[in-house]
Amino acid sequence: MNFINSYLQLNEGFYERTLPTAVADPRLLLWNSALAEQLMLLNELPQDPCALADIFSGNVLLPGSVPVATAYAGHQFGSFVPRLGDGRAHLLGEVVDRDGSHWDIQLKGSGPTTFSRNGDGRCALGPAVREFIMSEAMHALGVPTTRCLAVVTTGETVYRDTPLPGAVVTRVASSHLRVGTFEYFAARGNHEALKALCRYTIERHYPEVQGEGSTLYLDLLDRVIERQIHLIVEWMRVGFIHGVMNTDNTALSGETIDFGPCAMLGVYNPQTVYSSIDTMGRYAFGNQPKILQWNMSRFGECLLPLLGDNPSNPVKLVELIIDEFPTRFEQKYLAMMAAKLGLRDCLPGDKDLIEAVLNRFKQKTLDYTLTFDRMTRSLLCATTADQVKPDLGACFARWQKRLHDQGEEPHEVFRRMRRANPVVIPRNHHVEAAIRACEREEGTELVERFLQVLRSPYENLTHTVEFQDLPADGDRFYRTFCGT
Ligand code: AMP
Ligand code: MG
């Protein structure tokens, strides 16, 4: 296989060379053949599921692969941890797809490394299946995300609160660089490593960033923020709650990464939190933009020592960029929300309308996805419009008038709204049911059926309806757990 191991060009402080630990009885549970094809792996890999299970459990190493565990630090729930790193993951190398893009292939749950601290280096089946489902769903929704190539069960038990079946999940990411990677070297005062990391990041993700000295680093900060804003605005569009937006889970590529305690928003309420450990609601749905700004400030701080060539005060330079964040974010957020309402542009006054609609959602405990889907369909269907009218109250007429003033054909507005509003999302109770089916060894029929629907989230397939229903308890008692 044509592996590139570009991370190895960085010096050894960036990683530990380490091999996966073999597992007892690997079996291929989920396989992403579309992704394998996109990565041009089909001709490179065996077709036999047993052989694939051997490879994607870490039992058999692909030729050309030099596995490493990468070093990173991170702010977890606001507190700095100077040494985290891949404690249960092995980066096998990069492959190049047919468009020339590079993709990291990483095993997660593949055994302990020097970064494991007290962890066992393993992953339970549930979180592995969750990552597969959620990342496929996000990809199909059009949200930048890492993806999963395979889930292999290990035949071994992992011990968490209870004994659980173990698994290895293969993650595909455009890189595994995190804000925490920068923090790792910044905390050690290793400026040469920071510079090398910036060069590597720019080459891999931001080739448009050019210039020298402080201009280069400030441009990088600006571009990283731009991509992160796009990402979190997309999360807000589909109702994704990451659940653990620590800086070690913030990817420089601007992709969604680490699906541990993530969940989807049902009833619209910005304060929604499902993660059992997020007792303060730090990572609540509506807090995600603020946390992003906080995380970008931490990234900016890492760059401070590299800005010395500039006559201005480095802190001021970074602050200027960070201070623009709220305005930049709001502009992108309002444009996205305007599209959800079918508006061609976001005009003065539309912010008010958007807020009024969302307040109404909150007041009436309306489901975020279902209501926007109904509003979309109401454009072409009088019966649906009759359903939506009482839901929206006074907002309905206001919204209709705004659409009318825009002077577009209903079909045109419908198309815009359809692109912004999915008909189906990976609802928490269906994700849980699919995970449970895998844990109970009931086969993968349910997961595959669910995935088929999730892969066309803007279309009604014949069995989409099976996955659109709302949870009986409105997810009031739903809790998610960190995927350890
Ligand atoms: P995560 O919650 O998956 O983002 O992980 C946070 C940190 O804990 C990372 O450094 C992981 O490598 C480490 N970690 C999580 N679970 C385990 C485990 N079972 N064994 C070793 N390290 C782990
Ligand atoms: Mg993580």
Side-chain angles (χ1 to χ4, degrees):
M1 201 142 119
N2 292 327
F3 267 121
I4 299 171
N5 301 291
S6 70
Y7 213 66
L8 296 179
Q9 290 159 17
L10 292 162
N11 78 38
E12 281 172 16
F14 282 84
Y15 53 83
E16 181 210 23
R17 282 178 70 154
T18 171
L19 293 173
T21 305
V23 302
D25 184 19
R27 286 170 199 257
L28 188 65
L29 185 79
L30 299 173
W31 175 245
N32 195 337
S33 50
L35 182 58
E37 194 190 337
Q38 188 206 320
L39 300 179
M40 299 200 299
L41 296 179
L42 289 182
N43 294 332
E44 308 271 341
L45 290 171
Q47 304 211 328
D48 170 32
C50 294
L52 288 173
D54 278 339
I55 293 168
F56 294 105
S57 60
N59 279 16
V60 168
L61 206 58
L62 287 165
S65 164
V66 184
V68 297
T70 69
Y72 54 85
H75 277 87
Q76 299 190 309
F77 288 89
S79 304
F80 187 59
V81 184
R83 192 172 191 268
L84 287 165
D86 293 328
R88 51 165 171 169
H90 293 81
L91 174 60
L92 298 181
E94 293 153 59
V95 294
V96 183
D97 73 7
R98 63 171 94 86
D99 304 326
S101 306
H102 287 223
W103 298 97
D104 274 7
I105 311 264
Q106 188 205 54
L107 302 181
K108 185 164 162 184
S110 41
T113 72
T114 186
F115 301 108
S116 300
R117 291 162 290 160
N118 296 323
D120 59 3
R122 292 301 181 190
C123 177
L125 175 60
V129 172
R130 181 191 303 278
E131 178 147 346
F132 196 106
I133 296 173
M134 292 305 294
S135 59
E136 275 310 277
M138 293 291 268
H139 174 71
L141 285 163
V143 183
T145 182
T146 62
R147 296 183 70 188
C148 291
L149 185 61
V151 172
V152 174
T153 54
T154 59
E156 294 178 2
T157 302
V158 296
Y159 296 91
R160 301 294 180 252
D161 286 343
T162 51
L164 295 167
V168 176
V169 57
T170 303
R171 178 154 71 191
V172 174
S174 64
S175 86
H176 282 84
L177 300 167
R178 305 147 189 270
V179 168
T181 318
F182 289 76
E183 290 179 293
Y184 183 85
F185 296 104
R188 285 160 181 75
N190 189 342
H191 303 162
E192 283 317 305
L194 269 178
K195 280 186 198 163
L197 184 56
C198 287
R199 274 197 302 275
Y200 183 83
T201 306
I202 290 169
E203 203 173 302
R204 219 163 152 179
H205 299 297
Y206 300 95
E208 71 276 20
V209 171
Q210 284 175 359
E212 291 194 16
S214 53
T215 317
L216 182 82
Y217 303 118
L218 291 168
D219 268 7
L220 175 63
L221 174 61
D222 183 78
R223 293 291 305 131
V224 170
I225 289 176
E226 187 71 14
R227 250 190 238 181
Q228 288 292 329
I229 288 177
H230 174 71
L231 177 66
I232 275 62
V233 165
E234 283 291 277
W235 288 0
M236 306 306 279
R237 176 173 69 81
V238 301
F240 179 75
I241 310 169
H242 184 279
V244 60
M245 278 177 78
N246 293 333
T247 53
D248 53 306
N249 293 335
T250 304
L252 267 288
S253 61
E255 290 168 330
T256 313
I257 192 166
D258 279 1
F259 290 82
C262 73
M264 297 303 292
L265 181 74
V267 165
Y268 178 79
N269 185 341
Q271 278 144 22
T272 307
V273 178
Y274 292 116
S275 167
S276 58
I277 55 169
D278 192 3
T279 45
M280 306 292 280
R282 180 180 170 90
Y283 299 135
F285 177 71
N287 237 13
Q288 298 185 121
K290 267 200 208 132
I291 290 295
L292 171 60
Q293 180 177 351
W294 195 88
N295 288 351
M296 289 298 98
S297 304
R298 302 292 77 72
F299 179 53
E301 277 167 7
C302 293
L303 302 177
L304 287 176
L306 309 182
L307 304 178
D309 67 326
N310 198 297
S312 309
N313 174 354
V315 176
K316 274 270 159 312
L317 292 170
V318 168
E319 259 174 17
L320 276 175
I321 298 178
I322 298 292
D323 287 349
E324 284 172 2
F325 179 93
T327 319
R328 277 172 85 173
F329 188 91
E330 187 180 77
Q331 196 189 3
K332 291 278 156 63
Y333 174 76
L334 291 177
M336 175 281 286
M337 286 308 298
K340 274 180 93 70
L341 288 171
L343 311 184
R344 188 177 46 221
D345 313 293
C346 187
L347 303 178
D350 288 340
K351 181 179 170 182
D352 233 43
L353 173 64
I354 290 164
E355 282 173 357
V357 169
L358 289 177
N359 276 335
R360 177 79 186 177
F361 273 41
K362 187 176 167 194
Q363 235 174 43
K364 289 275 158 189
T365 61
L366 300 177
D367 182 83
Y368 190 62
T369 302
L370 177 74
T371 311
F372 273 116
D373 175 42
R374 277 200 183 140
M375 288 168 74
T376 307
R377 284 183 289 116
S378 77
L379 298 172
L380 305 179
C381 169
T383 325
T384 315
D386 286 342
Q387 263 180 330
V388 167
K389 224 182 267 180
D391 280 349
L392 291 190
C395 289
F396 185 79
R398 219 175 133 187
W399 172 53
Q400 290 289 302
K401 176 167 186 321
R402 176 66 179 80
L403 285 183
H404 181 263
D405 291 349
Q406 195 168 264
E408 287 178 328
E409 287 292 317
H411 276 99
E412 210 170 325
V413 183
F414 177 85
R415 276 196 297 275
R416 178 176 304 121
M417 285 187 74
R418 188 73 300 159
R419 279 197 298 274
N421 298 307
V423 301
V424 67
I425 53 163
R427 288 202 182 271
N428 305 325
H429 59 297
H430 287 295
V431 174
E432 293 299 331
I435 290 172
R436 293 294 95 75
C438 292
E439 285 177 338
R440 290 194 202 112
E441 298 183 31
E442 291 167 6
T444 55
E445 222 166 82
L446 180 62
V447 186
E448 297 292 358
R449 196 172 169 80
F450 191 25
L451 283 170
Q452 197 186 3
V453 163
L454 294 175
R455 283 174 175 141
S456 297
Y458 300 100
E459 264 176 80
N460 281 292
L461 309 182
T462 47
H463 57 292
T464 298
V465 62
E466 288 170 30
F467 299 99
Q468 283 175 308
D469 60 310
L470 308 183
D473 67 354
D475 277 342
R476 257 190 305 284
F477 307 108
Y478 186 56
R479 287 286 163 276
T480 58
F481 301 90
C482 261
T484 51

